[in-house]
Amino acid sequence: MLVSSKELFHIADKNNFAIPATNFIDGLTAKVYTETAESLGLPLILAYAESHKDYLGLEEAAWLGKHYAEKTSVPIVLHLDHGSDPAFIKEAIRLGFTSVMIDGSSLPLEDNIQLTKTIVDYAHQYGVVVEGEIGHVGSNTVSYEGESDDQSQYTTLNEATVFSQSTGVDSLAISIGTAHGEYTGKPEINFERLNEINGALSVPLVLHGGSSTGDENLKRCAREGMRKINIFTDLIVAAHKEAQIKTPHYMALRDNLERGFKDVLTHYYQVFETQPIEMKG
């Protein structure tokens, strides 16, 4: 079922678990992610990134996301990930996305606040929730999310507080040591910063760059305040490895790809300790 993330994050916060966010780039990925969630009876953030618009157009992504979400009995959020163009975000809302992210994290704080508040005010008119980002989650050398090799800027408590209060965002992505893409080494997570921000803010927190961060790190992030964790890169890498297995025909190749996606998503559901959520009404 297609839902908003608002109630999901409230329940996740109450029970100290995270919900995985998986970026779909075609019909196969959307299908496998939602079918895996359905088979396990668990909620999912089905995300589509603005940076992937050249692979999959926004209108087609909206149709695919809604189609597969509505075929399931579990809560599925159709989320626009890393939106940067206000016109693109507004079109996503018109097409039926239930959650959007406005990423102004590379901007000066005041500009980020102004841009984010504009999107919040617009989205809330249509009952759509908004994720903002303060601090900047950069990327590693190998990234599948449309970013160059850039540096992370850690989130401070003061900036997070001012940003949250000034914009009215429904969830907040913060930077505590992860990065988009594949790691060359194991990241160092600033759990002290996570606990500091989580203890001071009531808004649900989001972690980008979860792939390759390490199971224990991610389990601890989920237990200590992260309510959504993005894991796109690990899914793509696993599917690629499965695809390298000798396959006699196209359908066998699809089977291998599906196996890679399903196995990694199932694994991260366990790491995040995600629990079933029964929607009221």
Side-chain angles (χ1 to χ4, degrees):
M1 69 185 77
L2 186 63
V3 302
S4 165
S5 60
K6 197 161 191 176
E7 185 177 348
L8 302 191
F9 288 163
H10 173 74
I11 295 172
D13 194 52
K14 185 177 179 180
N15 294 279
N16 289 319
F17 65 83
I19 300 170
T22 57
N23 286 62
F24 70 99
I25 53 176
D26 54 20
L28 176 63
T29 46
K31 175 179 179 289
V32 176
Y33 297 158
T34 52
E35 287 183 350
T36 301
E38 174 78 0
S39 68
L40 297 172
L42 297 173
L44 177 71
I45 311 296
L46 184 64
Y48 163 77
E50 181 180 326
S51 62
H52 293 150
K53 62 182 182 292
D54 291 337
Y55 300 100
L56 179 67
L58 177 59
E59 188 170 349
E60 187 179 4
W63 185 89
L64 284 169
K66 289 186 292 183
H67 172 73
Y68 284 111
E70 289 166 354
K71 288 181 67 174
T72 72
S73 61
V74 295
I76 306 288
V77 178
L78 181 56
H79 174 70
L80 176 65
D81 193 28
H82 286 289
S84 59
D85 178 2
F88 193 89
I89 295 171
K90 290 177 181 179
E91 181 65 4
I93 292 170
R94 187 189 72 80
L95 289 169
F97 280 72
T98 58
S99 172
V100 296
M101 177 189 185
I102 172 64
D103 184 359
S105 61
S106 61
L107 300 172
L109 178 60
E110 288 304 319
D111 293 343
N112 190 1
I113 288 173
Q114 183 178 1
L115 175 62
T116 302
K117 190 175 188 310
T118 299
I119 297 300
V120 169
D121 291 344
Y122 181 86
H124 283 181
Q125 296 179 66
Y126 300 94
V128 173
V129 297
V130 179
E131 174 188 327
E133 182 172 338
I134 186 68
H136 179 65
V137 179
S139 65
N140 290 292
T141 303
V142 181
S143 177
Y144 300 92
E145 304 194 40
E147 295 192 29
S148 59
D149 185 16
D150 59 7
Q151 299 298 311
S152 297
Q153 299 169 357
Y154 282 20
T155 306
T156 68
L157 174 59
N158 180 65
E159 288 178 334
T161 302
V162 171
F163 183 83
S164 175
Q165 293 175 348
S166 301
T167 61
V169 289
D170 301 285
S171 61
L172 182 62
I174 61 173
S175 177
I176 56 170
T178 59
H180 296 117
E182 294 184 64
Y183 289 100
T184 55
K186 192 173 182 180
E188 294 293 330
I189 305 300
N190 190 335
F191 287 104
E192 182 178 354
R193 184 67 52 84
L194 169 58
N195 282 282
E196 184 182 36
I197 294 173
N198 186 49
L201 272 59
S202 59
V203 62
L205 301 180
V206 170
L207 184 71
H208 286 264
S211 291
S212 304
T213 298
D215 289 356
E216 290 307 311
N217 277 338
L218 292 177
K219 186 185 294 289
R220 187 174 171 186
C221 281
R223 289 178 175 177
E224 297 184 19
M226 290 296 180
R227 300 300 155 231
K228 174 170 84 79
I229 299 178
N230 289 38
I231 54 168
F232 175 62
T233 299
D234 277 354
L235 290 158
I236 294 298
V237 170
H240 176 69
K241 289 179 179 178
E242 287 289 341
Q244 289 178 319
I245 298 173
K246 185 177 180 180
T247 53
H249 51 71
Y250 177 69
M251 294 308 294
L253 172 63
R254 279 179 59 94
D255 289 343
N256 284 340
L257 289 170
E258 288 190 27
R259 187 180 305 111
F261 290 131
K262 182 176 181 179
D263 288 350
V264 172
L265 179 53
T266 299
H267 171 75
Y268 277 121
Y269 269 126
Q270 296 170 347
V271 173
F272 302 164
E273 301 177 312
T274 312
Q275 298 176 19
I277 295 179
E278 184 176 346
M279 301 299 293
K280 298 177 181 178

